[in-house]
Amino acid sequence: MTASRRRFSHGLLLLALTASSAQAKPATPVQDAAGNRLEALTEQAAPPGAGAADADSSAWYCTADRAWCVRTVRDEAGAQLELAQQVAGERDVRLRYAPLPSEDEADSEQPWPFIVRLGPGMGAPQRPVDAEQAHLQNVLVGALRDWRTSYSGGGARSSELMLVRLYHENDGIQIDTVATLPMAGNALIRACFSEVDVTARADACHDEYNFAARIGLDPAGEGMPVLQFQTRATRFPAGVSRFSDSLEKGPLTAKDLRTETDRTCSYQRRLRWREGRYQPDTPLPDCSEFTGL
């Protein structure tokens, strides 16, 4: 293997590790000052009274105490996020459904493998007067929606999170969408079709773009959870752009064969609860170079 090929392979490995670590689950749950708790969900058997996973659904992902489970399902009505709530004293879970938008149908859906269990009295516009309803926990859960495409010499993938809130009212529950966030992107474009191309590209025949995001909980947050949103975007080789023809820049050199972090699309934001939705403290940049198909 040539030195340039080794550098290219090393760059891809770093990108893979970056994407993997950005989605890594916290070792222990995180709780804030208001009692809101972020914890990971794990794949488990179907909760009592709920259907097992099949060809039209994902696996069930549940909290450690199995009080909450989620999965995604598809049927004639479209894609939905299915929530199973285990209430103390009841044999079977209570099943709830959150429709996933169909105007831009995704290629696939999976549950977001996390849950935010809201602190006492959090999540509902008004605390229910009904004592039983007021005692039940409100949560934030989500679905990851994926889109994919392929083209000559490569392909692209994009993933976004639809974050939903389930809260209890006097006469039942309400489910609404409270945020839509970019979570992952990958594009592999260009190819070598001749030895001349291989030479001009210094053996690195593809441009690769990666984007990965993670969500955390601000431990100092009070009231509705303050979410920490962090992203990292990279490109390989350095200096390439999906918005211009990299061949016009001339042949690649050894110094170009490195993974470059994009400063604009590697950012941190705090998402705060305002007017019934989560809003970033400053607007999110346009990162379609990394998340677009």
Side-chain angles (χ1 to χ4, degrees), residues 47-48 63 65-69 83-96 117 130-138 166 168 172-173:
T63 55
D65 62 3
R66 292 180 63 81
W68 292 94
C69 295
L83 297 84
Q85 179 185 12
Q86 183 68 69
V87 176
E90 297 183 5
R91 179 179 179 275
D92 291 339
V93 293
R94 299 181 182 182
L95 296 175
R96 322 290 194 185
R117 302 169 82 160
D130 182 276
E132 180 181 348
Q133 289 292 95
H135 178 70
L136 297 175
Q137 187 176 56
N138 302 324
L166 181 149
H168 295 83
I173 59 102

Side-chain angles (χ1 to χ4, degrees), residues 108-123:
S108 63
E109 302 86 20
Q110 285 287 325
W112 182 50
F114 298 93
I115 186 172
V116 180
R117 302 169 82 160
L118 302 178
M122 296 295 169

Side-chain angles (χ1 to χ4, degrees), residues 10 49 74 95 127 131 150 152 191 213 277 280:
H10 180 59
R74 282 195 178 194
L95 296 175
R127 190 178 181 90
S150 60
S152 177
R277 287 186 63 87

